């Protein structure tokens, strides 16, 4: 079957994902400005964030919204359920200014811990689902099944984020029918990367042009995860 043509085929979209650990670096300091510098260096069109909000109270943003607006070329997709958070269950999404958003939604996930995912469809038809899966494999399996059910027969869809799975394939079976799963590289722990916890899955009508992990000195200090990126077309 020939691959479908999409509006972004002439220029692949760079989709990135970063677990920012509530902006707390390996030195123990919360430094939103450092996170901003890492984000700006990714040269991405869409960035999915995990642990973007604090856990207590109303879950205030770990990186101030006005700092994102002032110091980056990104707009925050309004996925939060209140006025103080960046995202939903800590999952947020940034899109480069000029990239249109057609729709966005929250996805409630099952499991032993409160978890959620977020989905954004761009004007060109590409859907990006941002995830931060649970710590238990049984929960991760249920969560990916819920995401696959929400997406339906996948078309022009990227599922990306912190999948929290140390095994290469186990625990991710719910994606294997409709998606090709890719590990851009070892992203955890930032001080000594030994595991590919952050991954990307592409529906079969999409192609992976290139992918990688930001292993620069700033990224190695800013969080316990390294950012990943994928060029999708």
């Amino acid at each position: 079957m020939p691959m479908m043509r999409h509006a972004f085929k002439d220029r692949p979209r760079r989709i990135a994902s970063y677990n920012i650990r509530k902006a707390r670096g390996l030195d123990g300091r919360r430094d939103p400005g450092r996170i901003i510098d890492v984000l700006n260096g990714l040269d991405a069109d869409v960035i999915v964030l995990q642990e973007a909000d604090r856990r207590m109270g109303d879950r205030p943003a770990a990186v101030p919204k006005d700092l994102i607006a002032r110091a980056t070329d990104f707009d925050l997709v309004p996925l939060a359920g209140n006025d103080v958070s960046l995202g939903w269950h800590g999952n947020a999404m940034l899109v480069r200014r000029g990239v249109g958003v057609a729709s966005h939604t929250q996805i409630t996930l099952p499991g032993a811990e409160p978890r959620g995912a977020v989905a954004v469809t761009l004007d060109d038809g590409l859907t990006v689902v941002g995830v931060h899966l649970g710590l238990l494999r049984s929960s991760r399996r249920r969560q990916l099944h819920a995401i696959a059910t929400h997406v339906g027969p996948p078309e022009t869809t990227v599922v990306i984020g912190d999948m929290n799975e140390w095994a290469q394939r186990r625990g991710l079976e719910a994606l294997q029918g409709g998606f090709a799963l890719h590990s851009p590289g070892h992203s955890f722990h930032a001080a000594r990367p030994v595991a590919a916890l952050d991954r990307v899955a592409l529906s079969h009508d999409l192609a992976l042009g290139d992918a990688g992990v930001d292993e620069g000195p700033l990224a190695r200090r800013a969080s316990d995860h390294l950012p990943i990126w994928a060029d999708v077309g």
Side-chain angles (χ1 to χ4, degrees):
M1 181 180 295
M3 186 174 291
M4 294 177 62
R5 298 293 296 177
H6 305 293
F8 54 90
K9 279 292 183 182
D10 294 334
R11 179 190 178 279
R13 291 284 194 204
R14 175 162 291 188
I15 313 298
S17 175
Y18 191 17
N19 183 329
I20 67 172
R21 197 194 188 197
K22 307 172 191 66
R24 183 161 58 90
L26 298 191
D27 55 6
R29 293 191 301 114
R30 294 192 187 275
D31 189 343
R34 184 165 52 185
I35 295 295
I36 290 290
D37 289 341
V38 175
L39 297 179
N40 283 334
L42 295 173
D43 194 28
D45 297 296
V46 179
I47 303 178
V48 175
L49 301 177
Q50 300 88 46
E51 297 193 31
D53 302 312
R54 307 284 287 272
R55 295 190 67 178
M56 305 305 291
D58 292 334
R59 299 187 65 120
V63 178
K65 296 179 184 181
D66 63 340
L67 181 61
I68 295 172
R70 184 176 70 253
T72 78
D73 191 32
F74 293 101
D75 290 323
L76 176 68
V77 180
L79 292 159
N82 59 36
D83 293 331
V84 299
S85 299
L86 292 184
W88 167 250
H89 287 280
N91 297 290
M93 203 172 302
L94 306 175
V95 297
R96 187 167 295 281
R97 289 178 192 136
V99 176
V101 172
S103 64
H104 54 80
T105 189
Q106 304 167 342
I107 306 172
T108 301
L109 298 181
E113 320 154 65
R115 295 277 174 169
V118 294
V120 170
T121 299
L122 307 181
D123 281 348
D124 57 24
L126 181 68
T127 295
V128 179
V129 181
V131 304
H132 186 189
L133 302 182
L135 297 176
L136 300 177
R137 181 171 288 152
S138 58
S139 292
R140 292 193 291 272
R141 284 180 166 140
R142 293 172 61 200
Q143 288 159 5
L144 286 177
H145 178 74
I147 290 167
T149 300
H150 178 88
V151 170
E155 182 178 321
T156 60
T157 299
V158 178
V159 180
I160 188 170
D162 180 357
M163 299 195 182
N164 256 328
E165 180 56 70
W166 289 71
Q168 269 196 317
R169 294 291 172 184
R170 290 180 64 194
L172 305 174
E173 296 87 352
L175 293 179
Q176 291 173 5
F179 294 86
L181 190 64
H182 302 277
S183 298
H186 289 172
S187 58
F188 183 86
H189 186 279
R192 185 168 177 249
V194 295
L197 299 189
D198 302 276
R199 305 188 194 185
V200 57
L202 306 181
S203 58
H204 293 303
D205 57 330
L206 293 175
L208 182 69
D210 198 5
V213 178
D214 180 357
E215 299 183 73
L218 190 59
R220 283 184 175 272
R221 298 193 306 271
S223 173
D224 60 346
H225 283 249
L226 298 171
I228 66 167
W229 54 270
D231 292 338
V232 176

